[in-house]
Amino acid sequence: MDDGGFKMSAANETKLNDSDLCHIGPGTPAGEMFRRYWLAISRAEDLKEIPQAIKILGEELVLFRDGQGRLGLVGLHCSHRGSSLEYGDIEEKGIRCLYHGWLYDVEGNCLEQPLEPAGSTFCQKVKHPSYPVRELGGLLFTYMGPAKTNPPPLPRYSALVREDGMRLVFPPRFWDYSWFNFWENVVDSLHAYVLHRDSRSERSWENAFWRHRGDHHLDALPTEYGLKAIVRWPGPEPETEYVRLTTVALPTVFSLGGRGEEDLGFERLLFVTPADDNNFMVYTSDFIPKDAANPVDEREKARRAGPSAANVKEYDKRKYVPFKGQVWKEDYVCQSTQGNVGYRRENLATSDCAIILLRKQLLEAMEIVRNGGTPKGIIPKAKTNEMISLEAYRAVLTKSQVAQLLNGRS
Ligand code: FES
Ligand SMILES: [Fe+2]
């Protein structure tokens, strides 16, 4: 386990602080918080008929579908003498270790130990680590918390369950720094105005944002499952404002919607899952309503366009140069060099208000879990079958609509 040097606090009275967000191994406050939620762990289509090693929350695991199509997520290292089940054989009833043939089902029961004497019942004493896995909207999710057989409902986010259009799930992205640096960036809505100004793709509506030089406003409001971040700037008419609204559901679901009125109804969700303290995965799922223009091609073109090397000096040997002109690389340079939260020196400003709220909510969730409670973002059992909409849009609103939006603090 990669615990990043974290020492378990002897008593729960130690006050949690930002540095606790960086440690997600078993037994850490953030790790235990994450273990109360369903987490995205793979694209369904990427799980073929071979076992797939995967690290989640500091635990080495192996993901597979048994011969009956049941999804399994079990400890990577065989409970006999530790060989990797990534090289095991998938059978009708489970996964068999290649070394001495111990067979495990998706619930971690050891079913066979072929080299033990006939009549041995030793396999009944072996319990291999396992976690439940479910598929929804082309993604696989796991729940690694207590009460594995009675987990909270898997949230039915609208982008994952709507049937009135097309769903696209993108290949996961793997990054090699603290998950939280990526995560707080999703509500750092104003950074785009500086960092990505020159690498934006042409979108008629959004150009209004980029052209606006003055006073940008960012507000952050708590919601039932997390928070929403609202950016606004002067609209096309005196009594109007351009508004960009995005929503977070705890712990790590982000709804960012379309790029403008032309993308109305388009949904994009990001799911962030820490692999360990210094690595994380990002899963992206889009929903494009029937008859809507497909904004994905345009976006992907912008994302894939390489950085411009044209102006790089021949003596510029900085590691990440060139990066300007490629959105993901611009983000990577900023997020991977800032150091971990709670350890870096910071001066949070007014434009960091959404980040301040996000940190507060996550620390509260960690504290609640530490005290045995249910944190924000868990779907109540009564809403098991309900579709959850995470609001996200860009629109021109009247100033009175904006006032209403900002007063609707729930
Ligand atoms: S190490 Fe797996 S069966 Fe022996
Ligand atoms: Fe960015």
Side-chain angles (χ1 to χ4, degrees), residues 221 232 241 243 397-409:
L221 305 179
R232 61 204 161 83
E241 286 188 291
V243 175
L397 301 184
T398 63
K399 285 191 171 164
S400 72
Q401 286 171 319
V402 171
Q404 226 172 357
L405 180 65
L406 295 178
N407 285 331
R409 293 163 199 258

Side-chain angles (χ1 to χ4, degrees), residues 285-327:
S285 179
D286 283 357
F287 182 82
I288 303 153
K290 252 191 210 98
D291 307 326
N294 182 345
V296 177
D297 294 347
E298 197 55 42
R299 279 188 162 197
E300 288 311 295
K301 229 188 290 161
R303 199 208 297 229
R304 277 197 299 267
S308 166
N311 297 322
V312 176
K313 305 277 187 291
E314 137 297 303
Y315 47 80
D316 191 346
K317 303 296 182 210
R318 288 175 294 174
K319 191 172 171 187
Y320 302 128
V321 170
F323 62 90
K324 289 196 170 162
Q326 189 162 38
V327 172

Side-chain angles (χ1 to χ4, degrees), residues 49-341:
E49 69 291 356
I50 52 172
Q52 195 180 93
I54 182 168
K55 200 172 185 189
I56 308 163
L57 302 181
E59 293 188 44
E60 293 186 287
L61 302 164
V62 64
L63 178 65
F64 65 99
R65 276 181 215 275
D66 72 10
Q68 301 164 52
R70 293 180 304 186
L71 288 159
L73 180 66
V74 304
L76 179 68
H77 296 284
C78 177
S79 280
H80 180 213
R81 280 168 42 214
S83 291
S84 173
L85 295 174
E86 183 186 7
Y87 298 95
D89 291 323
I90 290 174
E91 299 188 0
E92 191 66 9
K93 290 184 177 166
I95 187 166
R96 190 183 293 278
C97 179
L98 78 167
Y99 200 174
H100 312 94
W102 287 22
L103 176 69
Y104 305 99
D105 70 10
V106 294
E107 280 156 9
N109 300 306
C110 184
L111 305 178
E112 288 177 22
Q113 296 170 333
L115 301 183
E116 293 306 290
S120 164
T121 56
F122 182 53
C123 70
Q124 291 164 16
K125 297 208 175 76
V126 174
K127 186 71 187 158
H128 193 65
S130 75
Y131 299 108
V133 182
R134 293 213 197 128
E135 183 170 348
L136 190 66
L139 283 169
L140 303 183
F141 294 86
T142 191
Y143 170 78
M144 295 171 68
K148 280 198 296 196
T149 53
N150 184 26
L154 172 61
R156 293 171 54 76
Y157 298 120
S158 54
L160 300 179
V161 298
R162 277 174 67 180
E163 297 291 349
D164 56 326
M166 181 172 79
R167 211 175 330 279
L168 285 177
V169 187
F170 292 88
R173 289 175 285 160
F174 298 86
W175 300 117
D176 59 354
Y177 53 94
S178 169
W179 71 277
F180 191 71
N181 290 7
F182 181 95
W183 189 236
E184 63 177 0
N185 175 265
V186 303
V187 295
D188 183 8
S189 313
L190 295 179
H191 82 278
Y193 185 68
V194 174
L195 178 63
H196 305 311
R197 182 188 297 195
D198 298 326
S199 42
R200 67 201 166 87
S201 58
E202 279 295 315
R203 303 292 290 178
S204 58
W205 192 87
E206 202 163 75
N207 285 348
F209 171 68
W210 302 102
R211 276 201 291 267
H212 179 59
R213 300 275 149 179
D215 221 13
H216 287 88
H217 295 275
L218 173 65
D219 291 276
L221 305 179
T223 61
E224 184 178 2
Y225 297 120
L227 63 94
K228 54 190 170 189
I230 301 160
V231 179
R232 61 204 161 83
W233 62 101
E237 309 296 332
E239 274 312 297
T240 63
E241 286 188 291
Y242 287 104
V243 175
R244 176 184 189 259
L245 185 147
T246 52
T247 295
V248 162
L250 295 193
T252 44
V253 186
F254 182 57
S255 173
L256 63 159
R259 293 201 152 193
E261 284 169 331
E262 57 261 60
D263 296 349
L264 219 56
F266 170 86
E267 297 194 53
R268 169 164 285 186
L269 294 186
L270 299 187
F271 299 85
V272 175
T273 303
D276 58 29
D277 289 355
N278 304 308
N279 294 274
F280 62 94
M281 290 83 79
V282 182
Y283 301 92
T284 306
S285 179
D286 283 357
F287 182 82
I288 303 153
K290 252 191 210 98
D291 307 326
N294 182 345
V296 177
D297 294 347
E298 197 55 42
R299 279 188 162 197
E300 288 311 295
K301 229 188 290 161
R303 199 208 297 229
R304 277 197 299 267
S308 166
N311 297 322
V312 176
K313 305 277 187 291
E314 137 297 303
Y315 47 80
D316 191 346
K317 303 296 182 210
R318 288 175 294 174
K319 191 172 171 187
Y320 302 128
V321 170
F323 62 90
K324 289 196 170 162
Q326 189 162 38
V327 172
W328 71 260
K329 206 166 174 192
E330 292 165 349
D331 281 327
Y332 180 87
V333 170
C334 293
Q335 294 164 25
S336 70
T337 59
Q338 64 186 144
N340 285 359
V341 69

Side-chain angles (χ1 to χ4, degrees), residues 8 12 16 25-37 57 143-146 152 250-251 360-378:
M8 279 291 289
N12 280 355
L16 297 175
T28 60
E32 290 308 303
M33 182 268 297
F34 268 113
R35 283 166 174 78
R36 296 303 185 280
Y37 299 91
L57 302 181
Y143 170 78
M144 295 171 68
L250 295 193
K360 181 169 166 273
Q361 289 191 341
L362 284 167
L363 288 171
E364 273 169 13
M366 287 153 63
E367 189 63 47
I368 287 168
V369 168
R370 190 157 77 155
N371 293 320
T374 303
K376 197 180 184 82
I378 301 284

